[in-house]
Amino acid sequence: MYSEKVKKYFENPINMGIIEDADSIGIIENEICSDIIKIYLKMKDDVIIDAKFEAKGCPPVIASCCIVTKMIKNVNIEKAKKITANEIIEKLEGLPNEKIHCAELVIKTLRKAINNLK
């Protein structure tokens, strides 16, 4: 059902955790499937120097969080704003149609974190 990449990131997630002195946090709760995603950003001169996440969700949610936090590290904020759910899905080598919303939720959480920057 899931690609090897989704399984790998679910079993051994990267960038999972909290940034205590984060410059911003984005939080999204999906009431339908009860997923909760938090993305923490640490900035320096408009560049994301660290990104971590906490998530309660299915394998595609965890894997999507891993991918997006990996993609945005050491990237300027304008480039991070342009990342799409399709890019995440591509890097995960696909998601089942009924799980595409997982990547979309992660992007919404990222955008919320960006919009919440101090």
Side-chain angles (χ1 to χ4, degrees):
M1 179 173 187
Y2 298 129
S3 71
E4 288 305 312
K5 277 210 172 155
V6 170
K7 292 176 193 173
K8 177 185 125 189
Y9 282 121
F10 179 70
E11 291 167 3
N12 299 294
I14 60 168
N15 302 320
M16 186 180 265
I18 297 170
I19 299 174
E20 292 294 340
D21 60 343
D23 293 306
S24 182
I25 303 171
I27 303 170
I28 295 274
E29 286 187 53
N30 182 346
E31 294 174 11
I32 296 167
C33 58
S34 72
D35 291 338
I36 301 170
I37 303 166
K38 294 180 186 178
I39 294 180
Y40 300 82
L41 302 178
K42 184 72 180 164
M43 306 293 299
K44 183 177 182 181
D45 302 326
D46 286 338
V47 172
I48 300 167
I49 59 170
D50 198 8
K52 294 198 180 296
F53 75 93
E54 291 182 294
K56 177 185 143 299
C58 60
V61 165
I62 304 299
S64 295
C65 286
C66 292
I67 289 290
V68 86
T69 54
K70 182 178 176 181
M71 288 176 73
I72 64 175
K73 279 188 182 183
N74 301 309
V75 167
N76 83 26
I77 204 72
E78 291 306 313
K79 187 173 179 186
K81 286 179 183 177
K82 295 176 182 169
I83 294 171
T84 67
N86 285 339
E87 289 176 88
I88 293 171
I89 293 165
E90 193 174 293
K91 288 186 183 296
L92 289 174
E93 298 171 356
L95 287 176
N97 285 340
E98 66 275 9
K99 293 295 183 176
I100 287 173
H101 73 278
C102 297
E104 292 166 349
L105 277 175
V106 171
I107 289 297
K108 283 183 185 175
T109 311
L110 171 61
R111 296 227 167 96
K112 200 168 189 182
I114 290 170
N115 290 337
N116 289 341
L117 278 167
K118 300 170 190 164

PDB file of all heavy atoms in Angstrom, residues 4-17:
ATOM      1  N   GLU A   4       8.272   2.193  -0.236  1.00  0.00           N
ATOM      2  CA  GLU A   4       9.355   1.891   0.707  1.00  0.00           C
ATOM      3  C   GLU A   4       9.823   3.153   1.425  1.00  0.00           C
ATOM      4  O   GLU A   4      10.195   3.098   2.588  1.00  0.00           O
ATOM      5  CB  GLU A   4      10.526   1.223  -0.023  1.00  0.00           C
ATOM      6  CG  GLU A   4      10.237  -0.212  -0.449  1.00  0.00           C
ATOM      7  CD  GLU A   4       9.787  -1.105   0.708  1.00  0.00           C
ATOM      8  OE1 GLU A   4      10.439  -1.098   1.776  1.00  0.00           O
ATOM      9  OE2 GLU A   4       8.771  -1.817   0.550  1.00  0.00           O
ATOM     10  N   LYS A   5       9.793   4.303   0.742  1.00  0.00           N
ATOM     11  CA  LYS A   5      10.205   5.558   1.378  1.00  0.00           C
ATOM     12  C   LYS A   5       9.263   5.941   2.513  1.00  0.00           C
ATOM     13  O   LYS A   5       9.712   6.379   3.564  1.00  0.00           O
ATOM     14  CB  LYS A   5      10.272   6.689   0.350  1.00  0.00           C
ATOM     15  CG  LYS A   5      11.557   6.698  -0.395  1.00  0.00           C
ATOM     16  CD  LYS A   5      11.925   8.093  -0.806  1.00  0.00           C
ATOM     17  CE  LYS A   5      13.321   8.035  -1.375  1.00  0.00           C
ATOM     18  NZ  LYS A   5      13.620   9.088  -2.287  1.00  0.00           N
ATOM     19  N   VAL A   6       7.956   5.795   2.299  1.00  0.00           N
ATOM     20  CA  VAL A   6       6.990   6.108   3.362  1.00  0.00           C
ATOM     21  C   VAL A   6       7.252   5.208   4.560  1.00  0.00           C
ATOM     22  O   VAL A   6       7.333   5.676   5.701  1.00  0.00           O
ATOM     23  CB  VAL A   6       5.527   5.965   2.870  1.00  0.00           C
ATOM     24  CG1 VAL A   6       4.544   6.056   4.031  1.00  0.00           C
ATOM     25  CG2 VAL A   6       5.203   7.019   1.814  1.00  0.00           C
ATOM     26  N   LYS A   7       7.438   3.924   4.298  1.00  0.00           N
ATOM     27  CA  LYS A   7       7.694   2.967   5.383  1.00  0.00           C
ATOM     28  C   LYS A   7       8.981   3.316   6.131  1.00  0.00           C
ATOM     29  O   LYS A   7       9.022   3.276   7.359  1.00  0.00           O
ATOM     30  CB  LYS A   7       7.771   1.540   4.824  1.00  0.00           C
ATOM     31  CG  LYS A   7       6.453   1.012   4.312  1.00  0.00           C
ATOM     32  CD  LYS A   7       6.651  -0.368   3.688  1.00  0.00           C
ATOM     33  CE  LYS A   7       5.452  -0.796   2.902  1.00  0.00           C
ATOM     34  NZ  LYS A   7       5.696  -2.040   2.158  1.00  0.00           N
ATOM     35  N   LYS A   8      10.033   3.657   5.371  1.00  0.00           N
ATOM     36  CA  LYS A   8      11.326   3.986   5.968  1.00  0.00           C
ATOM     37  C   LYS A   8      11.206   5.187   6.904  1.00  0.00           C
ATOM     38  O   LYS A   8      11.680   5.152   8.042  1.00  0.00           O
ATOM     39  CB  LYS A   8      12.336   4.281   4.859  1.00  0.00           C
ATOM     40  CG  LYS A   8      13.709   4.700   5.357  1.00  0.00           C
ATOM     41  CD  LYS A   8      14.616   5.088   4.207  1.00  0.00           C
ATOM     42  CE  LYS A   8      15.129   6.496   4.468  1.00  0.00           C
ATOM     43  NZ  LYS A   8      15.835   7.105   3.399  1.00  0.00           N
ATOM     44  N   TYR A   9      10.567   6.257   6.431  1.00  0.00           N
ATOM     45  CA  TYR A   9      10.435   7.460   7.257  1.00  0.00           C
ATOM     46  C   TYR A   9       9.504   7.251   8.444  1.00  0.00           C
ATOM     47  O   TYR A   9       9.697   7.837   9.501  1.00  0.00           O
ATOM     48  CB  TYR A   9       9.959   8.653   6.425  1.00  0.00           C
ATOM     49  CG  TYR A   9      11.051   9.272   5.601  1.00  0.00           C
ATOM     50  CD1 TYR A   9      10.942   9.349   4.215  1.00  0.00           C
ATOM     51  CD2 TYR A   9      12.196   9.793   6.196  1.00  0.00           C
ATOM     52  CE1 TYR A   9      11.933   9.927   3.451  1.00  0.00           C
ATOM     53  CE2 TYR A   9      13.200  10.366   5.434  1.00  0.00           C
ATOM     54  CZ  TYR A   9      13.060  10.440   4.067  1.00  0.00           C
ATOM     55  OH  TYR A   9      14.056  11.012   3.319  1.00  0.00           O
ATOM     56  N   PHE A  10       8.500   6.402   8.283  1.00  0.00           N
ATOM     57  CA  PHE A  10       7.597   6.119   9.399  1.00  0.00           C
ATOM     58  C   PHE A  10       8.328   5.324  10.489  1.00  0.00           C
ATOM     59  O   PHE A  10       8.193   5.620  11.673  1.00  0.00           O
ATOM     60  CB  PHE A  10       6.360   5.360   8.920  1.00  0.00           C
ATOM     61  CG  PHE A  10       5.409   5.034  10.042  1.00  0.00           C
ATOM     62  CD1 PHE A  10       4.684   6.033  10.674  1.00  0.00           C
ATOM     63  CD2 PHE A  10       5.235   3.727  10.473  1.00  0.00           C
ATOM     64  CE1 PHE A  10       3.821   5.743  11.718  1.00  0.00           C
ATOM     65  CE2 PHE A  10       4.369   3.423  11.514  1.00  0.00           C
ATOM     66  CZ  PHE A  10       3.652   4.438  12.131  1.00  0.00           C
ATOM     67  N   GLU A  11       9.117   4.354  10.068  1.00  0.00           N
ATOM     68  CA  GLU A  11       9.825   3.505  11.028  1.00  0.00           C
ATOM     69  C   GLU A  11      11.031   4.204  11.657  1.00  0.00           C
ATOM     70  O   GLU A  11      11.387   3.926  12.792  1.00  0.00           O
ATOM     71  CB  GLU A  11      10.259   2.203  10.341  1.00  0.00           C
ATOM     72  CG  GLU A  11       9.078   1.320   9.989  1.00  0.00           C
ATOM     73  CD  GLU A  11       9.421   0.175   9.046  1.00  0.00           C
ATOM     74  OE1 GLU A  11      10.617   0.000   8.686  1.00  0.00           O
ATOM     75  OE2 GLU A  11       8.490  -0.539   8.635  1.00  0.00           O
ATOM     76  N   ASN A  12      11.660   5.105  10.917  1.00  0.00           N
ATOM     77  CA  ASN A  12      12.850   5.833  11.387  1.00  0.00           C
ATOM     78  C   ASN A  12      12.721   7.310  11.026  1.00  0.00           C
ATOM     79  O   ASN A  12      13.421   7.796  10.132  1.00  0.00           O
ATOM     80  CB  ASN A  12      14.118   5.252  10.749  1.00  0.00           C
ATOM     81  CG  ASN A  12      14.303   3.801  11.108  1.00  0.00           C
ATOM     82  OD1 ASN A  12      14.523   3.476  12.263  1.00  0.00           O
ATOM     83  ND2 ASN A  12      14.195   2.924  10.115  1.00  0.00           N
ATOM     84  N   PRO A  13      11.835   8.019  11.697  1.00  0.00           N
ATOM     85  CA  PRO A  13      11.605   9.422  11.320  1.00  0.00           C
ATOM     86  C   PRO A  13      12.822  10.308  11.574  1.00  0.00           C
ATOM     87  O   PRO A  13      13.569  10.088  12.529  1.00  0.00           O
ATOM     88  CB  PRO A  13      10.432   9.843  12.210  1.00  0.00           C
ATOM     89  CG  PRO A  13      10.319   8.825  13.274  1.00  0.00           C
ATOM     90  CD  PRO A  13      10.987   7.580  12.796  1.00  0.00           C
ATOM     91  N   ILE A  14      13.010  11.277  10.677  1.00  0.00           N
ATOM     92  CA  ILE A  14      14.060  12.271  10.848  1.00  0.00           C
ATOM     93  C   ILE A  14      13.418  13.603  11.216  1.00  0.00           C
ATOM     94  O   ILE A  14      12.253  13.855  10.887  1.00  0.00           O
ATOM     95  CB  ILE A  14      14.920  12.427   9.570  1.00  0.00           C
ATOM     96  CG1 ILE A  14      14.058  12.865   8.381  1.00  0.00           C
ATOM     97  CG2 ILE A  14      15.666  11.137   9.257  1.00  0.00           C
ATOM     98  CD1 ILE A  14      14.849  13.323   7.182  1.00  0.00           C
ATOM     99  N   ASN A  15      14.159  14.437  11.907  1.00  0.00           N
ATOM    100  CA  ASN A  15      13.709  15.784  12.293  1.00  0.00           C
ATOM    101  C   ASN A  15      12.492  15.773  13.214  1.00  0.00           C
ATOM    102  O   ASN A  15      11.774  16.768  13.305  1.00  0.00           O
ATOM    103  CB  ASN A  15      13.436  16.659  11.064  1.00  0.00           C
ATOM    104  CG  ASN A  15      14.644  16.795  10.187  1.00  0.00           C
ATOM    105  OD1 ASN A  15      15.756  16.933  10.671  1.00  0.00           O
ATOM    106  ND2 ASN A  15      14.447  16.728   8.885  1.00  0.00           N
ATOM    107  N   MET A  16      12.258  14.669  13.894  1.00  0.00           N
ATOM    108  CA  MET A  16      11.150  14.622  14.844  1.00  0.00           C
ATOM    109  C   MET A  16      11.640  15.191  16.173  1.00  0.00           C
ATOM    110  O   MET A  16      12.739  14.868  16.618  1.00  0.00           O
ATOM    111  CB  MET A  16      10.655  13.191  15.041  1.00  0.00           C
ATOM    112  CG  MET A  16       9.417  13.100  15.912  1.00  0.00           C
ATOM    113  SD  MET A  16       8.862  11.373  16.111  1.00  0.00           S
ATOM    114  CE  MET A  16       7.636  11.299  14.815  1.00  0.00           C
ATOM    115  N   GLY A  17      10.853  16.060  16.760  1.00  0.00           N
ATOM    116  CA  GLY A  17      11.213  16.641  18.038  1.00  0.00           C
ATOM    117  C   GLY A  17      10.749  18.078  18.142  1.00  0.00           C
ATOM    118  O   GLY A  17       9.979  18.558  17.315  1.00  0.00           O
TER     119      GLY A  17
END
